[in-house]
């Protein structure tokens, strides 16, 4: 029982033998290949493995099976081995079913029959699934326990941080028996909430996210003092730069202040990203990109906020909020944008207590049976509406403009229209939020102020505006009036190079007003606000970093 198992189930004997044969040929030395001819037989095998302390890395199930199809089997298999990666084996005609499986049981991948040659169509998929499983292992969700209040903003911040960083945890309400028992065991009173208890029994009262990151084993300290490339921001642009920088031999460090993935990491489903025809969640895309970067030995730092930039000759030095510093030959700014605060009465008071910025997917189950409102008209708001429609009684999208067409992708507009419990209301804005201790209602203004209504509201999610996180740059790097960073051609005024430019060349396309500092993704002035373009700019920035370093 020492080797983890790869379980495959198919009721067609010839297919079952073929896939078991191909799996043994590539993975037989490191994994135990378990073959079953029916879903019931496979479940019996999983139960036996569980009782005997075995581990399951991947479950691969055929979609069309009698009595219990592959989706139904994977749903039950998840109860026994929640960390096992899941794949569906399907014929071309059943690809719609595979897409449903992704939505129902978060299937990681589907494989089309036939998969010949396995070197191209089977092994790369299994390699990725096994890498993902090895990254998480068999940790139980009880590794970290969080005791807090449902409507407490500090409690929400800890839960959101752990979820966005893919750290398994268990949430315990402070007013429920198990939560009270844990508080008593830690000799902790109400002033200690939120209380975080680590796997080794340490109790952290009202911890900072940095303390939680350290307790969860997330890297927070750089391994060296000087790098070839430091990337500020862990969204798609930053992750793209980290993958390409490290894979091309640069000593690369990626610094993120909150959670990898940025706003894209909060998306419940990205369906227009190249190479994922059935869509992928922002968390999954982020996790794959992070693992890819670390595979090439890029260093990743969590919960480190950059607060300043200094030029030390040819070195560029970044300062952290805690007083630390890091230097590099080159820097890529990929800090993305933040949602703009909603200037309505009561919003600030109730933020984290029913009012949230971004999708806050941890709140999904808590929205069961509630009326949920979402403010915004771009893709992120549409994706959130679809996500919360799985839980809420009704989701209402409040759009300030006259329609969604100018700001949202066509495919999302169509999906919203086809979802029964989603309503889109245009020419609307929120005037105020009401509630005693937590959000209970909102007042909406419609038709340019001609109509005001107050409605019950279980949760309000805000997706408006885009403010770059660049105040810390001061006057060192040229920015526009909104704070977006100028690069390349935008720095040339009537053909003249930027003030203080000391190179006998024009700035490279993504280069800032300081040589060796580049910007990529949403933080860059006049950039295209899409995940794919951000990843592309991150990769392009590394090419320009090489050109800069070669000329040094």
């Amino acid at each position: 029982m020492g080797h983890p198992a790869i379980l495959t189930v198919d009721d067609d004997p010839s297919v079952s033998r073929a896939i078991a044969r191909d799996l043994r040929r590539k993975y037989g030395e490191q994994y135990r290949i378990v073959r079953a001819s029916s879903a019931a037989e496979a479940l019996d095998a999983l139960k036996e493995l569980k009782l005997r302390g075995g581990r399951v890395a991947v479950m691969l199930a055929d979609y069309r099976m009698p009595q219990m199809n592959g989706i139904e089997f994977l749903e039950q298999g998840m109860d026994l081995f929640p960390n096992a990666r899941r794949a569906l084996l399907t014929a071309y005609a059943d690809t719609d079913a595979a897409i449903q499986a992704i939505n129902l049981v978060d299937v990681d991948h589907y494989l089309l029959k036939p998969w010949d040659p396995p070197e191209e169509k089977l092994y790369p998929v299994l390699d990725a699934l096994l890498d993902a499983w090895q990254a998480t292992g068999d940790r139980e969700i009880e590794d970290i326990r969080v005791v807090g209040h449902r409507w407490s903003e500090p409690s929400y911040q800890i839960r959101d941080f752990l979820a966005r960083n893919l750290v398994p945890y268990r949430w315990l309400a402070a007013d429920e028996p198990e939560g009270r028992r844990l508080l008593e065991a830690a000799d902790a009173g109400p002033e200690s909430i939120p209380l975080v208890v680590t796997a080794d029994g340490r109790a952290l009262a009202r911890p900072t996210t940095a303390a939680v990151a350290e307790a969860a084993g997330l890297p927070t300290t750089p391994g060296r003092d000087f790098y070839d490339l430091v990337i500020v921001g862990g969204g798609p642009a930053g992750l793209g730069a980290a993958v390409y920088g490290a894979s091309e031999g640069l000593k690369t460090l990626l610094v993120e202040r909150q959670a990898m993935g940025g706003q894209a990491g909060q998306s419940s489903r990205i369906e227009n990203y190249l190479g994922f025809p059935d869509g992928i969640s922002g968390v999954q895309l982020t996790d794959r990109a992070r693992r890819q970067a670390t595979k090439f030995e890029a260093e990743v730092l969590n919960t480190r906020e950059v607060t300043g930039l200094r030029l030390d000759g040819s070195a560029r030095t970044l300062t952290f909020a805690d007083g630390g510093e890091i230097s590099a030959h080159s820097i890529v700014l990929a800090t993305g944008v933040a949602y703009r605060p909603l200037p309505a009465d009561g919003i600030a008071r109730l933020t984290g207590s029913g009012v949230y910025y971004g999708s806050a997917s941890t709140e999904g189950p808590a929205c069961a049976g509630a009326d949920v409102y979402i403010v915004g008209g771009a893709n992120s708001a549409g994706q959130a509406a679809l996500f919360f429609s799985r839980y809420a009684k009704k989701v209402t999208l409040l759009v300030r403009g006259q329609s969604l067409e100018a700001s949202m992708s066509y495919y999302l507009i169509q999906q919203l229209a086809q979802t029964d419990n989603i309503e889109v209301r245009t020419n609307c804005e929120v005037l105020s939020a009401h509630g005693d201790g937590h959000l209970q209602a909102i007042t909406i203004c419609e038709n340019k102020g001609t109509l005001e209504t107050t409605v019950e509201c279980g949760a309000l999610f805000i997706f408006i505006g885009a403010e770059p996180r660049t105040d810390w740059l001061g006057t060192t790097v040229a920015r526009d009036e909104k704070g977006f960073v100028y690069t390349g051609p935008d720095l040339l005024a009537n053909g003249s190079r930027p003030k203080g430019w000391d190179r006998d060349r024009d700035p490279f396309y993504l280069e800032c007003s300081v040589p060796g500092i580049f910007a990529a993704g949403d933080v860059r002035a006049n950039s295209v606000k899409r995940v794919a373009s951000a990843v592309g700019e991150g990769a392009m920035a590394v090419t320009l970093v090489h050109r800069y370093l070669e000329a040094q």
Side-chain angles (χ1 to χ4, degrees):
M1 298 299 295
H3 290 315
I6 298 175
L7 181 139
T8 173
V9 52
D10 197 306
D11 66 311
D12 185 326
S14 62
V15 174
S16 180
R17 286 193 299 269
I19 195 164
R21 177 200 64 217
D22 288 341
L23 291 175
R24 288 193 182 97
R25 187 169 63 187
K26 174 74 182 290
Y27 307 105
E29 292 186 2
Q30 295 177 295
Y31 295 88
R32 180 186 178 195
I33 310 302
V34 178
R35 179 165 69 95
S37 58
S38 70
E41 182 183 336
L43 285 174
D44 288 341
L46 289 177
K47 291 174 183 177
E48 183 180 352
L49 284 166
K50 190 73 174 180
L51 290 172
R52 297 175 63 183
R55 297 173 296 159
V56 177
V58 173
M59 294 184 287
L60 176 59
D62 181 52
Y63 172 62
R64 288 186 178 274
M65 293 188 294
Q67 284 81 51
M68 184 188 299
N69 66 34
I71 298 175
E72 294 167 335
F73 162 73
L74 290 173
E75 284 186 288
Q76 294 195 33
M78 287 170 61
D79 294 335
L80 293 167
F81 291 94
N83 295 313
R85 297 292 161 157
R86 300 168 291 280
L88 197 70
L89 189 62
T90 179
Y92 182 79
D94 293 326
T95 51
D96 285 344
I99 294 173
Q100 292 176 21
I102 289 175
N103 293 327
L104 285 172
V105 295
D106 198 23
V107 167
D108 297 287
H109 213 287
Y110 69 87
L111 288 161
L112 287 175
K113 296 187 286 188
W115 57 86
D116 186 60
E119 289 77 12
E120 295 180 12
K121 298 182 179 180
L122 175 64
Y123 296 153
V125 172
L126 264 294
D127 286 345
L129 295 177
L130 291 169
D131 285 346
W133 178 79
Q134 289 171 354
T136 58
D138 285 329
R139 293 178 296 178
E140 298 294 331
I141 61 173
E142 291 84 6
D143 275 0
I144 288 179
R145 288 162 289 175
V146 181
V147 183
H149 292 301
R150 166 74 176 87
W151 301 114
S152 159
E153 182 180 7
S155 297
Y156 161 71
Q157 294 293 347
I158 294 297
R159 289 189 293 123
D160 186 61
F161 172 78
L162 290 170
R164 292 184 61 190
N165 283 283
L166 298 178
V167 177
Y169 73 97
R170 185 180 179 191
W171 165 254
L172 302 170
D175 56 357
E176 293 181 352
E178 194 169 355
R180 288 197 296 267
R181 283 195 293 269
L182 202 57
L183 287 170
E184 291 172 3
D187 292 325
E191 72 283 353
S192 301
I193 296 173
L195 182 76
V196 175
V197 181
T198 65
D200 58 5
R202 287 181 295 141
L204 308 177
R206 298 184 64 86
T208 63
T209 53
V212 174
E214 185 175 352
L218 297 175
T220 59
T221 305
R224 59 179 69 222
D225 297 324
F226 198 92
Y227 292 82
D228 296 319
L229 171 63
V230 172
I231 303 154
V232 185
L239 287 164
V243 168
Y244 281 90
S247 68
E248 294 173 12
L250 297 178
K251 300 298 183 185
T252 302
L253 175 70
L254 175 61
V255 182
E256 168 56 44
R257 62 186 288 272
Q258 187 175 13
M260 292 295 158
Q263 288 187 4
Q266 294 182 285
S267 296
S268 58
R269 182 66 50 186
I270 302 170
E271 296 192 61
N272 59 353
Y273 187 69
L274 186 67
F276 293 91
D278 46 6
I280 186 170
S281 72
V283 168
Q284 288 176 315
L285 185 62
T286 297
D287 184 46
R288 293 181 184 191
R290 179 195 58 77
R291 288 188 287 107
Q292 194 172 14
T294 55
K295 167 188 171 183
F296 292 119
E297 299 184 355
E299 287 187 46
V300 175
L301 294 190
N302 296 80
T303 66
R304 297 300 296 271
E305 182 175 3
V306 177
T307 56
L309 171 64
R310 186 177 72 246
L311 307 181
D312 295 324
S314 62
R316 280 78 181 99
T317 300
L318 296 168
T319 56
F320 296 126
D322 61 4
E325 294 185 346
I326 200 75
S327 297
H329 289 301
S330 59
I331 290 172
V332 170
L333 304 175
T335 49
V337 294
Y339 293 117
R340 191 172 69 242
L342 181 63
D345 291 342
I347 292 293
R349 176 174 59 87
L350 295 171
T351 296
S353 302
V355 175
Y356 308 97
Y357 286 89
S359 66
S361 59
T362 54
E363 299 304 303
C367 293
D371 289 316
V372 169
Y373 286 79
I374 294 175
V375 181
N379 281 6
S380 54
Q383 290 162 349
L386 291 169
F387 172 77
F388 287 107
S389 69
R390 305 177 199 170
Y391 303 95
K393 179 174 68 176
K394 183 179 180 181
V395 176
T396 303
L397 196 62
L398 303 177
V399 183
R400 187 174 183 179
Q402 295 181 357
S403 70
L404 291 172
E405 278 71 13
S407 57
M408 188 178 292
S409 295
Y410 177 75
Y411 81 91
L412 272 174
I413 297 175
Q414 295 299 105
Q415 290 183 14
L416 293 176
Q418 294 166 7
T419 306
D420 292 338
N421 65 334
I422 293 180
E423 178 186 0
V424 178
R425 294 169 64 174
T426 56
N427 296 311
C428 284
E429 54 185 311
V430 175
L431 290 182
S432 56
H434 318 280
D436 182 12
H438 65 90
L439 179 68
Q440 294 170 308
I442 58 173
T443 298
I444 302 169
C445 171
E446 299 182 76
N447 299 323
K448 299 182 179 180
T450 60
L451 177 64
E452 291 186 14
T453 56
T454 298
V455 296
E456 291 186 2
C457 180
L460 179 69
F461 300 92
I462 301 168
F463 298 82
I464 59 171
E467 294 184 339
R469 298 190 181 103
T470 57
D471 289 346
W472 59 275
L473 291 170
T475 59
T476 305
V477 172
R479 298 176 290 149
D480 67 13
E481 66 280 0
K482 295 181 179 179
F484 292 94
V485 177
Y486 283 126
T487 59
D490 291 337
L491 291 167
L492 302 178
N494 299 319
S496 299
R497 293 166 183 161
K499 183 179 179 181
W501 186 260
D502 61 357
R503 296 295 194 277
D504 187 23
R505 59 169 177 81
D506 290 345
F508 295 134
Y509 182 71
L510 299 179
E511 197 168 21
C512 303
S513 58
V514 176
I517 300 178
F518 301 81
D522 290 359
V523 73
R524 192 176 68 82
N526 302 315
S527 65
V528 177
K529 305 299 189 279
R530 288 290 185 269
V531 174
S533 61
V535 173
E537 287 192 8
M540 185 191 301
V542 171
T543 298
L544 300 177
V545 165
H546 281 293
R547 291 175 63 182
Y548 168 77
L549 295 176
E550 288 167 359
Q552 288 295 94

